Amino acid sequence: GAVVSQHPSWVICKSGTSVKIECRSLDFQATTMFWYRQFPKQSLMLMATSNEGSKATYEQGVEKDKFLINHASLTLSTLTVTSAHPEDSSFYICSASPGPEAFFGQGTRLTVV
Amino acid sequence: GESVGLHLPTLSVQEGDNSIINCAYSNSASDYFIWYKQESGKGPQFIIDIRSNMDKRQGQRVTVLLNKTVKHLSLQIAATQPGDSAVYFCAENAGTYKYIFGTGTRLKVLA
C-alpha cells in the first residue's frame, strides 16, 4: 500500500511554544490530506482537511488560528500547534489517499508541559 | 449530525476462536466503509473495505459484512491470534478521501 510518513513521532514542548508536525506522502501525490486528533482510549476525530495550494478546511469546533495547516506541495502538509497548552497534548495523525482507501501516518504524540 | 458508533468497547476472545466486531452507522447515503486496526502508539492500518453495493467481502482471515437495511457493519476475524490484539475502528466515507471514525473496539486475545 501507499506510504504516509509523519515527523516527529513524539515531541515534548513547553507551554506557550509552538510545535510543527509534518505529514508526507512518500510514493504518491496528494492534493488533499487530513489531520486527526486522538485522545487516549478514544476514536480519531477529524480536525481539518489540508488542501494543496489553498486554505485548509476546519471541522466545527477546531480553532484555525490554533492549529495552522500548510499544504505547500503535493507531498507535504504541516500542522502547527501554536501557543501550545497542556490540553493540546494528544496523538495527532494525518492521512492521505492515492485512491478511495485512506493511508495513515504513524502518528505524533504531543506532550505539552 | 452524522456518526458512526460501536456497541462493544472491549471484546475478549480465546486464541483460536473467531471474533466479531460490530459497528453501526447513521448516514444511509454512505457508499464506502473501511475497517482499520490500530496498535498502541501507532496510526491506523487498513484491514479491509467494502462498498455499499456489496454485502460481504472476504480477505485473509477477515470478512466484512454490510447490512444496509439496519446500517450495520461487522468485522469477523477467523482463528484469532495474539497479534490481532488491538483497537479496531470502522470508518465511513464522508466525502472525497474523508472519513468519520467509530468509537473503536478493543480486542483482547486470551492465550
Side-chain angles (χ1 to χ4, degrees):
Chain A
V3 180
V4 176
S5 177
Q6 263 181 260
H7 178 81
S9 298
W10 60 270
V11 57
I12 301 173
C13 71
K14 290 185 177 181
S15 188
T17 62
S18 296
V19 174
K20 181 185 285 188
I21 303 170
E22 294 185 347
C23 179
R24 294 181 184 272
S25 55
L26 297 186
D27 51 1
F28 65 98
Q29 294 182 329
T31 56
T32 305
M33 294 184 177
F34 299 89
W35 288 96
Y36 294 81
R37 182 174 182 176
Q38 186 178 32
F39 290 108
K41 299 183 180 180
Q42 294 190 23
S43 186
L44 284 75
M45 296 299 297
L46 180 65
M47 297 175 66
T49 302
S50 175
N51 303 300
E52 188 267 336
S54 64
K55 292 182 179 180
T57 306
Y58 291 82
E59 296 299 305
Q60 192 173 7
V62 178
E63 301 175 57
K64 61 181 180 181
D65 294 330
K66 173 77 171 175
F67 300 100
L68 300 179
I69 291 172
N70 183 274
H71 194 152
S73 78
L74 289 171
T75 58
L76 173 64
S77 174
T78 61
L79 169 69
T80 301
V81 183
T82 63
S83 187
H85 291 284
E87 56 265 30
D88 298 324
S89 298
S90 189
F91 194 52
Y92 293 88
I93 307 172
C94 70
S95 76
S97 302
E101 173 188 332
F103 291 90
F104 288 82
Q106 67 270 42
T108 298
R109 172 77 57 196
L110 170 63
T111 303
V112 185
V113 298
Chain B
E2 299 162 356
S3 66
V4 179
L6 292 176
H7 301 298
L8 299 174
T10 303
L11 176 65
S12 297
V13 297
Q14 207 68 37
E15 181 179 355
D17 287 352
N18 297 334
S19 303
I20 300 176
I21 301 172
N22 297 303
C23 173
Y25 65 95
S26 59
N27 184 2
S28 57
S30 295
D31 60 0
Y32 182 63
F33 305 87
I34 302 177
W35 279 101
Y36 285 96
K37 172 185 181 182
Q38 186 179 29
E39 297 175 325
S40 181
K42 297 182 180 180
Q45 292 178 288
F46 173 92
I47 301 174
I48 191 167
D49 60 357
I50 189 166
R51 295 197 175 277
S52 59
N53 61 352
M54 305 171 69
D55 53 20
K56 181 179 180 179
R57 188 149 192 247
Q58 288 185 293
Q60 189 176 13
R61 282 202 307 119
V62 294
T63 301
V64 55
L65 299 178
L66 174 62
N67 186 331
K68 294 183 288 294
T69 302
V70 295
K71 292 184 285 187
H72 184 268
L73 274 166
S74 69
L75 176 70
Q76 300 178 0
I77 304 174
T80 311
Q81 302 169 359
D84 295 327
S85 293
V87 177
Y88 291 81
F89 295 98
C90 65
E92 170 184 14
N93 183 252
T96 305
Y97 309 145
K98 179 179 176 180
Y99 292 88
I100 296 172
F101 280 76
T103 54
T105 295
R106 179 172 298 281
L107 177 64
K108 291 185 177 180
V109 181
L110 308 173

